[in-house]
Amino acid sequence: MQILADLNGKRMPLSEVMVPALDRGFLFGDAIYEVLRIYQGRSWLLDEHWQRLGRSLESIRIQGVDLARLRARALDLIDASGVQEGMIYIQVTRGAGVRRTHAFPPQATPLELLWVEGFTDPYAEQRRIGTSVITLPDIRWDRCDVKSTNLLANVLGSQAAKEAGCLEALLYLPDGTMTEGTHTSFFGVLDGQVLTAPNSNAILPGITRGLVLRLAASAGITLREHVLKRDDLKRVSELFLTGTTTEVMPIVRVDDQTIGNGKPGPVTLRLQEAYREVVREFTQ
Ligand SMILES: Cc1ncc(COP(=O)(O)O)c(C=O)c1O
């Protein structure tokens, strides 16, 4: 199936998109991105993703992007693609200089690339039975709050998880503070309270994480933004991941340890159902 893309306002199949070798996204990972879920042909949590996109651009000082126009183009591309279930990927790089220099080139124009990809939910079964994860040292840089395409540490962590037969790697800092997954946020239930790492430069402010905070509040579930330590994982009764395509994913095993009774826990299931319900309302 052909994937429809938009490169700097020009529509074409993704397979025909060419970017210059001097593009800084390619050379330096000097770029930011967003991924939005599409449910029944409509983009989910659009305002939240656009706000984060704007913040990422500002944080790394990419200028000259018309966010309103980019947003209109994203919506048009979704319509034109006909995709009902899937995602839209949006990447903005600092553009290409006339030669390779680390400092910003004086006249680069940002490169904007979008594409829409249809899929059948790949996680439906795992969401029902729960998934396994490993833990790994967090070797990323100090601005993980920026959604940049500089993802080498995340790539290596994700590959290590895959090779261990797991869906995700949960990352921890040298002092044992758990941060997040390589491409997901995560939550734990400890002593009856749901905990997740507070927003800081150590984690991405996950859009799904934000929604789950709101869903927990309206369901009367006690949820605190509070650090979980690696040692706490031995005592949690539940763990779950959140992310745009992952949604709310129960974890039933961490490294060699079974979580709870090895089945998705009650709080996770309630939040999973609350998530499904708001998506149902959105698509009706
Ligand atoms: C490092 C990291 N943390 C968390 C998330 C989850 O964020 P969101 O809920 O916005 O998809 C992602 C998503 O790609 C991520 O890359």
Side-chain angles (χ1 to χ4, degrees), residues 8-188:
N8 294 332
K10 237 181 113 190
R11 270 201 206 142
M12 60 188 84
L14 181 59
S15 56
E16 288 175 21
V17 169
M18 308 266 268
V19 296
L22 283 174
D23 185 85
R24 297 177 61 88
F26 173 63
L27 290 179
F28 297 110
D30 189 355
I32 58 92
Y33 75 108
E34 276 297 327
V35 178
L36 280 72
R37 184 71 161 85
I38 298 166
Y39 291 115
Q40 297 197 13
R42 294 180 60 204
S43 51
W44 174 235
L45 303 174
L46 180 63
D47 288 344
E48 290 87 339
H49 281 281
W50 236 257
Q51 254 174 34
R52 188 171 67 183
L53 182 66
R55 218 177 34 238
S56 295
L57 288 170
E58 251 173 55
S59 304
I60 69 164
R61 297 165 56 197
I62 291 183
Q63 285 166 353
V65 177
D66 183 335
L67 281 177
R69 258 191 64 212
L70 188 62
R71 180 171 162 140
R73 268 169 49 208
L75 296 181
D76 285 350
L77 194 68
I78 293 172
D79 281 347
S81 73
V83 164
Q84 292 298 299
E85 291 299 311
M87 63 105 191
I88 179 163
Y89 178 86
I90 299 146
Q91 175 168 327
V92 181
T93 83
R94 200 180 304 279
V98 289
R99 61 177 62 85
R100 181 183 178 276
T101 55
H102 283 63
F104 306 165
Q107 278 122 10
T109 307
L111 176 141
E112 301 169 358
L113 172 65
L114 304 81
W115 74 78
V116 177
E117 211 173 311
F119 56 70
T120 329
D121 184 355
Y123 297 119
E125 177 61 6
Q126 253 177 330
R127 239 178 255 123
R128 199 178 62 72
I129 59 175
T131 196
S132 303
V133 301
I134 56 170
T135 54
L136 282 182
D138 192 342
I139 58 167
R140 300 175 302 161
W141 72 326
D142 207 26
R143 287 303 307 275
C144 295
D145 55 317
V146 178
K147 199 163 170 66
S148 96
T149 61
N150 244 293
L151 290 170
L152 188 52
N154 308 58
V155 165
L156 294 175
S158 187
Q159 179 64 20
K162 186 176 169 191
E163 286 170 8
C166 294
L167 182 69
E168 180 59 299
L170 304 183
L171 308 174
Y172 58 89
L173 297 175
D175 73 350
T177 296
M178 301 299 304
T179 54
E180 60 183 338
T182 66
H183 58 285
T184 54
S185 314
F186 88 94
F187 295 70

Side-chain angles (χ1 to χ4, degrees), residues 230-243:
R230 193 164 176 230
D231 273 353
D232 293 330
L233 298 186
K234 298 194 186 88
R235 296 199 299 120
V236 291
S237 55
E238 298 181 40
L239 277 178
F240 59 94
L241 305 169
T242 65

Side-chain angles (χ1 to χ4, degrees), residues 248-263:
V248 178
M249 171 71 75
I251 297 172
V252 292
R253 195 166 185 80
V254 180
D255 296 324
D256 290 330
Q257 181 202 337
T258 301
I259 302 297
N261 61 3
K263 297 207 171 89

